[in-house]
Amino acid sequence: MSNNSNSLRRFSAQEHASVKEIHDDPIDLDDVLPKIGEFGVYQKFLLWFVCLPACLPCGFCAFNQLFMTDTPDHWCRVPELYNMSLNNRKMISIPRKADDNTTFENCVRYSVNWSALLSTGIPIEVNESWPVEPCLDGYEYDKTEVKSSVVIDFDLVCEFDVYPTLGLVALNVGGPIGVYSFGLLNDRIGRKKSFFACLTTLLLGSMMTAYAHEFWFWVLARIIVGLTIPAVYQIPFIISLELAGPNYRSFVTVMTCIFYTLGLILLSGVTYILRDWRSLALATSVPFFFYYLYWFILPESPRWLLMRERLEEANTILKNIARVNGKELPEEFTAKLQKQVLEQKEHGFKEAKAPSVFALCRTPNMRLKTILITLNWCASEMVYVGLSYYGPAIGSNQYMSFFLSSAVEIPSYIVCWILMDRVGRRWPLCLSMVISGIFCIVTVLLPSDAENETLILYLISKCFISASFLIIYPYAGELYPTELRGIGIGTSAYIGGLGLIIIPFINYLGSSNLVLPLVLMGAVSVVGGITALRLPETLHCPLPQTAEEGEEFGKDWTYTDCLACGGQRSAVPESDTYENLDQLELTQAPSTEDVLPDMQPLRRNSMRKLVRQASTLETQRDTDGSLRMTYWF
């Protein structure tokens, strides 16, 4: 009751000024969406038929490369013995491995004059003392499972076996560059045109991939594909998120993650059916030419149109949303739009200056939090993507292993969605990363032939790291103050994206020791999870808005706070300059009907319900209300 009284007193003190200056307030679509439908027929159609299908190209083209570079069993080619059966020439010309007498060497053959031995007409008997030499005449491959791959076509084995890893590095190099480039396009030419520019780039790179006849041309194609990951699905996702009401943005975000994972599950079936890498490249890209039909149904973001002062287009889209949802766009909103645009044309439009990345490191507490957030982002992203890449190498069937490694993500997303508003962010992040790391490290204790046991531990680890990967994004958005949120998330995400460049090299170590990459990624995950406890909890805490408040938030952290679970006390007394979770992103100047005292409690209860959902997994926004793309799978 006292809180409501305080709120009413604060409201009364500001009432006159707010009503007087209401025409100067920025347009906030969150005021309008509840009146034209927060998640009506229009938003549902956009989500189910545009946003969610747009997840497929990203997952398909990011992970189909794992199966394009399948490395089957191989051995040296001996042209002189081609008149023999495959098994006979392999038994005669290839030495057995010293540590395993049942398998053959892959990269050496006996160095003898086969023509001379054959000319004698005497059956050849193998002499293990014969000298050996490298594969001077190329290689033969076991094509019983893999009909064709990049490795087979370009002979990327033995001294060239690191080349498929370089292809994966090329894919990850393109990611941060593409997100930055398409992020600029997103803000300059709009979301809709950016999406089709991104889709065109993806299809161009995929076609180049399918028809590459030189390895380095294939690498160039993978860089082009990498430019679009994950931008190709983030753009329609951002449009859907901006058009959904605050009460449903968490649902949109979680459904996007789940559908992305369902795309990976579908990819495991496609790769099982198609064992030719060129057919796989075409099958995972050509169907997306149909996405050009989205041009007729994908709307431009009204928020972006308003920022660009394109009133008529924004008004038309909002009227269409209202019409499809069976609502009516309030006339006062249109009048307010017209008045604000006229004032901007009369007085000029001044774009707010973006803060510098150095603002994150000017004060000690913000510097520490930035380092810890970035460290956790790096660790979570590297381990998640690393385990995703490593899935096909675990177990006896690479297709089933990849299927299972994708399927275990779905329950982790749902559990996260439930826990974050009850337990908080910090402890779920810590425990998910530490548990994931422990299960990775434990694999070193298993015998080398324990394939099923290793697979089980791997799947448990993948499930938990998926949870942490989902938590770190909204948690970082709540830790960075509003003034620095855009640059803070962008910095942490880009450094995390750059960390992915070394992940293929870590996985490459698995060619000689299967569990070594798991141990390394497990150690990174454990370290990242432990350091997360040093961050302050944000659940039920007033969140900082300015850089100065960001410095104070969590500044008096103690070891007692480290053990606390759930919402904790705030470092600074609650004030009007703080973003309370009961007001986050819904605080605006009241309209005339909000002035009445008897309406105030009803409005605040509604706000509390909306914001509790919106603060959980919603993609964070900049101070101008726009959503930014980040390097986030």
Side-chain angles (χ1 to χ4, degrees):
M1 184 69 181
S2 60
N3 289 338
N4 287 335
S5 301
N6 292 336
S7 300
L8 287 172
R9 283 197 295 272
R10 288 199 301 269
F11 179 82
S12 299
Q14 299 174 353
E15 176 181 330
H16 180 70
S18 298
V19 174
K20 181 180 179 181
E21 299 177 0
I22 189 170
H23 62 277
D24 295 326
D25 294 330
I27 300 296
D28 191 347
L29 291 182
D30 287 346
D31 296 335
V32 183
L33 286 171
K35 299 178 181 179
I36 64 175
E38 286 190 275
F39 198 63
V41 175
Y42 189 97
Q43 288 94 336
K44 290 175 182 176
F45 176 85
L46 190 67
L47 176 68
W48 294 108
F49 293 98
V50 179
C51 175
L52 296 185
C55 298
L56 295 180
C58 181
F60 274 32
C61 296
F63 292 97
N64 60 2
Q65 186 168 330
L66 301 179
F67 300 92
M68 287 186 198
T69 56
D70 276 337
T71 304
D73 188 22
H74 55 91
W75 55 90
C76 295
R77 178 186 290 118
V78 182
E80 295 89 343
L81 302 181
Y82 263 22
N83 58 338
M84 296 184 180
S85 67
L86 185 147
N87 285 335
N88 285 342
R89 65 174 177 264
K90 187 176 179 181
M91 294 279 293
I92 294 173
S93 62
I94 308 300
R96 298 177 187 271
K97 293 182 178 180
D99 56 344
D100 185 1
N101 197 41
T102 61
T103 58
F104 295 88
E105 292 285 355
N106 300 115
C107 301
V108 295
R109 67 182 184 182
Y110 287 122
S111 179
V112 297
N113 189 336
W114 298 108
S115 299
L117 289 176
L118 290 172
S119 63
T120 61
I122 302 174
I124 301 174
E125 294 185 3
V126 177
N127 186 346
E128 294 183 358
S129 63
W130 283 342
V132 296
E133 62 183 3
C135 302
L136 302 178
D137 297 299
Y139 306 89
E140 289 189 87
Y141 299 91
D142 182 0
K143 297 183 179 181
T144 54
E145 286 193 12
V146 181
K147 305 300 181 184
S148 173
S149 74
V150 172
V151 171
I152 295 175
D153 285 9
F154 302 139
D155 282 338
L156 304 181
V157 293
C158 298
E159 65 267 31
F160 301 106
D161 64 350
V162 73
Y163 279 35
T165 299
L166 297 180
L168 206 53
V169 171
L171 184 77
N172 289 332
V173 166
I177 299 173
V179 168
Y180 178 78
S181 302
F182 287 110
L184 293 178
L185 282 178
N186 210 32
D187 291 334
R188 293 183 181 179
I189 68 174
R191 278 76 159 118
K192 183 175 181 177
K193 293 180 181 178
S194 296
F195 171 72
F196 288 102
C198 191
L199 178 64
T200 301
T201 304
L202 173 68
L203 293 175
L204 173 64
S206 297
M207 294 298 101
M208 291 173 60
T209 297
Y211 294 103
H213 291 283
E214 296 290 339
F215 171 74
W216 294 111
F217 186 82
W218 178 80
V219 169
L220 175 63
R222 301 316 294 169
I223 293 176
I224 295 175
V225 170
L227 293 173
T228 66
I229 297 172
V232 70
Y233 95 88
Q234 281 197 8
I235 298 172
F237 165 66
I238 285 174
I239 295 176
S240 297
L241 208 61
E242 288 181 335
L243 291 179
N247 199 32
Y248 295 92
R249 290 178 185 144
S250 297
F251 173 76
V252 172
T253 305
V254 173
M255 284 305 302
T256 301
C257 294
I258 291 176
F259 208 84
Y260 175 83
T261 300
L262 291 176
L264 298 183
I265 293 174
L266 179 61
L267 176 63
S268 66
V270 174
T271 56
Y272 178 78
I273 296 171
L274 300 175
R275 305 297 177 90
D276 177 86
W277 72 274
R278 296 185 190 275
S279 299
L280 177 61
L282 292 173
T284 52
S285 58
V286 169
F288 304 132
F289 276 99
F290 288 103
Y291 282 19
Y292 283 109
L293 297 176
Y294 283 171
W295 180 266
F296 303 102
I297 59 175
L298 183 66
E300 184 53 83
S301 167
R303 195 181 300 273
W304 181 83
L305 291 171
L306 291 174
M307 290 173 58
R308 293 292 173 175
E309 303 181 34
R310 292 162 63 172
L311 168 65
E312 294 298 330
E313 295 176 62
N315 209 36
T316 301
I317 292 174
L318 292 173
K319 284 183 177 179
N320 287 337
I321 296 174
R323 178 178 54 81
V324 174
N325 289 341
K327 306 284 185 178
E328 187 173 346
L329 183 66
E331 293 183 2
E332 59 269 22
F333 177 77
T334 303
K336 187 176 180 180
L337 277 177
Q338 293 172 338
K339 188 171 185 178
Q340 181 168 321
V341 170
L342 289 175
E343 289 178 352
Q344 287 177 349
K345 290 181 178 179
E346 181 180 350
H347 302 291
F349 178 76
K350 295 182 179 179
E351 187 173 352
K353 184 179 180 181
S356 167
V357 67
F358 297 105
L360 300 170
C361 302
R362 286 195 183 118
T363 53
N365 188 37
M366 271 307 305
R367 182 165 55 245
L368 176 62
K369 287 192 293 185
T370 299
I371 292 172
L372 292 177
I373 293 169
T374 305
L375 175 63
N376 277 270
W377 199 304
C378 252
S380 181
E381 187 167 20
M382 289 173 64
V383 176
Y384 170 80
V385 176
L387 291 180
S388 298
Y389 284 167
Y390 209 51
I394 304 293
S396 57
N397 187 313
Q398 62 175 344
Y399 307 101
M400 179 57 68
S401 297
F402 186 77
F403 167 81
L404 294 175
S405 72
S406 301
V408 295
E409 295 182 21
I410 295 179
S412 72
Y413 295 151
I414 298 174
V415 171
C416 258
W417 192 19
I418 297 172
L419 286 182
M420 284 180 62
D421 258 358
R422 291 167 172 78
V423 180
R425 285 77 161 129
R426 191 167 54 97
W427 270 105
L429 176 64
C430 169
L431 290 178
S432 60
M433 294 185 73
V434 170
I435 293 174
S436 174
I438 290 174
F439 277 99
C440 273
I441 295 172
V442 167
T443 57
V444 76
L445 303 177
L446 299 177
S448 58
D449 58 345
E451 290 185 351
N452 292 334
E453 292 81 358
T454 303
L455 177 61
I456 292 173
L457 294 178
Y458 161 81
L459 293 175
I460 296 174
S461 178
K462 180 70 185 302
C463 177
F464 278 96
I465 202 63
S466 300
S468 75
F469 195 60
L470 193 67
I471 297 170
I472 187 63
Y473 188 81
Y475 189 28
E478 293 170 347
L479 286 170
Y480 284 121
T482 303
E483 185 179 350
L484 304 176
R485 182 172 296 151
I487 190 67
I489 290 181
T491 300
S492 297
Y494 268 79
I495 294 176
L498 293 175
L500 297 183
I501 296 175
I502 68 172
I503 280 296
F505 293 110
I506 294 177
N507 286 351
Y508 175 70
L509 300 175
S511 58
S512 57
N513 188 328
L514 182 65
V515 301
L516 183 56
L518 296 177
V519 173
L520 292 176
M521 288 186 284
V524 171
S525 185
V526 169
V527 171
I530 292 175
T531 59
L533 291 178
R534 177 57 182 83
L535 292 167
E537 179 59 72
T538 59
L539 181 64
H540 304 319
C541 290
L543 303 179
Q545 200 168 18
T546 65
E548 291 76 14
E549 292 166 356
E551 170 64 16
E552 294 299 318
F553 184 71
K555 189 174 183 179
D556 59 346
W557 182 91
T558 64
Y559 287 101
T560 303
D561 296 326
C562 175
L563 300 176
C565 184
Q568 62 181 34
R569 59 186 175 84
S570 61
V572 179
E574 181 178 348
S575 66
D576 293 337
T577 60
Y578 263 48
E579 288 182 313
N580 191 284
L581 286 179
D582 289 342
Q583 301 168 344
L584 182 62
E585 297 187 358
L586 283 175
T587 302
Q588 63 266 341
S591 59
T592 53
E593 63 265 25
D594 293 328
V595 176
L596 299 175
D598 58 336
M599 294 295 292
Q600 183 67 14
L602 177 61
R603 183 171 186 267
R604 288 193 56 81
N605 289 336
S606 174
M607 287 169 57
R608 184 176 296 109
K609 178 184 177 183
L610 293 177
V611 176
R612 185 177 67 249
Q613 296 290 356
S615 65
T616 304
L617 292 175
E618 178 185 345
T619 296
Q620 301 297 336
R621 294 187 281 176
D622 282 349
T623 53
D624 62 0
S626 62
L627 297 172
R628 304 289 182 182
M629 292 194 302
T630 58
Y631 197 64
W632 176 51
F633 282 101

